[in-house]
Every structure is written in structure tokens, then in C-alpha cells.
Amino acid sequence: MLREDPGDENAAEPPWQPPNHRRGSRRRRARFAGLPLAAKALVALAVAAAFLVLADRWALLYAEHEAADKLKDQLNLSAAPEVDIEGFPFLTQVLDQRLDEVKVTVPDVAADRVSLAKVSATATDVTMKGDGPTSLTGAVIGQMRGEVLLSFDDLNRELGASQVTFTGHGRDKVYARGTLPVAGHDLKVRADARIERNGERGVATDIDRMRLDIGDMATYRPGARESEGLHLSRTGARRVADESSQAKALLAVPEIARRLGVPDGAVREALRSDAKLNDVTGSPEFVDDVMRLNLIDVAMGHPALLKRLGLDPALLKGLDDLTRPVLVDRLSLSFELPRLPGEGAMRLQGVKVEEDGIRVGVEGYGIGFGG
């Protein structure tokens, strides 16, 4: 019987060769070559369109960057604004030298004593100056509409060094509440501000109902009217009436006694007898009369008397220097938008107080930027 030689089986196997990857590529080229002409054209168009879209987006980003830099330079901004050019494709708008719509957002715009948290605007009918996206020299805005936000958080940070906070109340009022340091004393401050538009580019605040409380002893209201000045509170006046030494100190000054309406004979008796003093200070009119005394006037002629009433003479001097214009200036929220270049016009519209701050509408026409 014959046996098979295992060596013959190995001899029948073909030798190993590395894989030929070019066969697959040749097959793919063969498949593409086998496509109809219309399909080839569609593929070529898709590739060309993709490159055109990329070129369009690159030109758009470049133009937005250039526009942001020019706005930053011309408006003296601390940071470049955010510029978004709307519409597609962009290059066709460049060829026409007219943009349909441009949105601009500018944060932290300096406006007098305050910073505007955000100025946002949408410009339409924008005519470009320059030969292309890489050579823009400027633009003219046909129409612009937007809004300005004055944030209460920013106001509290910028004007609240004395720990005064601002909150909205109603459509046009802002409350200022907090403390104010005067001559080493922290006084509670309260004021109401009414917000209104001032001219074409400004917002004004009418500060009213200003008062500084010296604990529960007295209240200072800046101004020259009879109800203004430094006056004892009802609690402070009652304390003076109940404290015989303080009441006698008041009655011992003839000018003050006459202001309180106490006859000379009653004054003499009150200074000699506590019972008679109680008759004077216990009358319903006495506390009201003491509250009407302007202690600033009293301090001018009788500084020692005020010290006996428990009031610091240095504090009274500080309050006398804190006139109404000075306090109004410290609490004012007024601002004015910077002037824009060119011959165009820009003006503020409605002013509205909201929870987060003061919002003001803005519109403009024919505003030019660049060369």
C-alpha cells in the first residue's frame, strides 16, 4: 500500500505574498469612472459648494473681527464689542457693498460716573466702505435700534462704597438704602430717585425724600426749608422731655425757650422746680415743638448745648457740609451716552426701571464709522 508524502501537500500551497491595497483603490476608481456624467457633476458641485461655504464663513469671521476692532478704537472702548453680521451668503452682500443686518453688543461702556452693563443694538441698511472683506475701511448705518442697561449690581459696586444699595420700585423710581459715613459715624441713608430721559443722549435722576438717621435720636434732611435740616425724632424729643437735665438745658437758652413757646415766667419756675418743669415738658405740644427745632441753627450759637443733648458737634459740622447738592451728587444715577462719530443722529427713547436695573431704548440714523 502506498502512503502519501506529507511534503507533497506543502509543496502544493502557493507562496505567501503581502496584500495588494491598490486593488481596492483601483476598484473605487473603477466604480467612480462607472458613474454617470450627471452624478460626477453633482459630486463636483457639492465639493465646490463646500469650499465656497468655507470661504464665505472665513470672510464673514474676518469682517466681524475687523468691524469689532474699528468700533473699539473709535468709541475708546476697553474691550472689543461682539459683532454678528446676519444673512447668507456674506460674499454676495460684500459684492453689493450693503449688509442686511448687523448686531452689536458692547459690555461695560463708561458713561460719566457709572458704567453701562450692556449696550446692544441691531443695525439695518448698512453700507460698507472698502473693496472687500479684507479691506474694509468703514460703514454707514442707515438705521439702528437697541437698548442700554444700567445694572443695579454695577451701581451698588460703583456708587455703593458707602454701603448704599439701589433697587427698582415701579416703572420710574429707584430706592437708595444703606449707610453713609459722616464724621466717623455710620448714618442710615434713605433716598428716592425718579428716573427720566434728559435730552437726546442723557438720563437724569431727580433725588427726593433724602434723609439720614442718627440712630433713633435725630434725622437730617438736607435743604433750606423749615421741615429740612437736623431735627430730633419723636423718640429723641420724648427723651429730652423726660430727662430733666436736658430739658433744663434747652429752657436755659432764652432764644430756644421762645422758639418752644414757653413764657419767661414759666421758664423761671421750671428751672427752679422739677414739678413745674414736668408741667412744661409734659404738655402735648412740648414734644412737637422740640421736634421743630433745627439743631443746625442751635449748634451755631450753642454748640455745648447739643453735646448735652447727646449729639457729637463734629457730626453736626459734617452734616452742615453735606448740603443737598453734595448728597444728590453722591446718590445720582445720571449718565450720558458718548457721542458717536460722523454726522448721524442717535437718541435715547423710553426709560424703564426693571428688577435688574434701568433699561433705556436707543435709536439712530445715518451713523458713520471708519474712513
Side-chain angles (χ1 to χ4, degrees):
M1 171 183 268
L2 296 176
R3 290 184 303 176
E4 294 181 0
D5 187 355
D8 295 341
E9 181 180 350
N10 293 334
E13 292 182 358
W16 179 87
Q17 294 181 349
N20 187 359
H21 296 290
R22 294 184 178 181
R23 293 176 183 175
S25 62
R26 283 199 293 267
R27 289 194 201 101
R28 286 191 292 270
R29 286 198 296 269
R31 292 195 194 103
F32 184 77
L35 289 176
L37 183 60
K40 295 179 182 179
L42 287 176
V43 172
L45 285 175
V47 173
F51 278 108
L52 287 175
V53 169
L54 288 175
D56 187 85
R57 296 300 90 184
W58 177 86
L60 173 66
L61 293 174
Y62 182 87
E64 289 175 343
H65 176 75
E66 287 294 301
D69 284 345
K70 289 186 182 298
L71 285 174
K72 177 179 179 294
D73 293 340
Q74 288 206 279
L75 297 180
N76 295 319
L77 302 175
S78 58
E82 180 181 333
V83 178
D84 293 315
I85 300 176
E86 304 293 324
F88 179 82
F90 170 67
L91 290 174
T92 58
Q93 298 182 72
V94 173
L95 293 176
D96 192 37
Q97 290 194 315
R98 187 175 296 273
L99 302 178
D100 298 330
E101 184 176 286
V102 180
K103 295 182 178 179
V104 179
T105 302
V106 188
D108 299 326
V109 178
D112 296 338
R113 300 172 62 234
V114 300
S115 295
L116 304 178
K118 184 172 68 173
V119 178
S120 57
T122 298
T124 55
D125 188 20
V126 180
T127 302
M128 301 170 58
K129 297 180 179 179
D131 298 329
T134 60
S135 59
L136 292 177
T137 60
V140 176
I141 298 173
Q143 184 176 6
M144 179 189 70
R145 294 187 182 277
E147 71 172 16
V148 175
L149 170 63
L150 181 61
S151 167
F152 287 138
D153 288 342
D154 291 343
L155 288 175
N156 295 337
R157 182 177 63 254
E158 295 173 349
L159 302 182
S162 54
Q163 298 179 341
V164 176
T165 59
F166 299 88
T167 56
H169 185 76
R171 184 178 177 83
D172 64 346
K173 285 188 178 180
V174 175
Y175 286 168
R177 302 288 187 268
T179 59
L180 194 68
V182 179
H185 298 264
D186 287 333
L187 309 184
K188 288 185 178 180
V189 60
R190 298 166 58 92
D192 300 346
R194 187 168 62 88
I195 312 299
E196 58 187 6
R197 188 166 62 88
N198 182 27
E200 297 293 320
R201 298 182 297 111
V203 167
T205 51
D206 182 16
I207 309 293
D208 194 15
R209 301 169 63 89
M210 291 182 292
R211 58 181 284 181
L212 295 170
D213 293 332
I214 307 172
D216 63 351
M217 183 68 181
T219 296
Y220 174 70
R221 294 180 175 87
R225 293 184 297 216
E226 184 179 352
S227 61
E228 296 169 335
L230 179 63
H231 297 266
L232 290 174
S233 65
R234 184 165 295 277
T235 299
R238 175 58 63 186
R239 192 175 299 161
V240 169
D242 293 340
E243 180 61 47
S244 60
S245 62
Q246 293 183 357
K248 287 182 179 180
L250 280 178
L251 295 175
V253 180
E255 179 186 354
I256 296 178
R258 284 193 293 271
R259 289 190 189 182
L260 296 175
V262 183
D264 292 342
V267 170
R268 288 192 295 270
E269 292 180 357
L271 293 177
R272 290 194 300 264
S273 167
D274 286 346
K276 294 296 183 181
L277 178 65
N278 290 335
D279 291 340
V280 174
T281 59
S283 66
E285 297 83 7
F286 184 80
V287 170
D288 293 336
D289 292 338
V290 171
M291 291 176 62
R292 280 192 285 269
L293 285 175
N294 187 346
L295 300 183
I296 296 291
D297 296 339
V298 174
M300 294 178 62
H302 310 280
L305 172 61
L306 293 177
K307 192 171 184 179
R308 294 189 64 180
L309 296 179
L311 295 172
D312 182 5
L315 174 61
L316 299 179
K317 177 63 170 61
L319 291 175
D320 190 34
D321 294 337
L322 194 61
T323 61
R324 182 178 181 85
V326 171
L327 189 55
V328 165
D329 181 68
R330 296 185 68 167
L331 300 176
S332 176
L333 315 179
S334 304
F335 67 87
E336 186 171 274
L337 288 181
R339 289 189 177 275
L340 293 180
E343 300 179 356
M346 185 183 71
R347 62 176 177 268
L348 297 176
Q349 293 180 306
V351 180
K352 183 168 60 174
V353 175
E354 297 183 350
E355 183 178 355
D356 57 345
I358 302 169
R359 292 185 182 273
V360 188
V362 59
E363 66 175 7
Y365 302 93
I367 302 169
F369 290 95

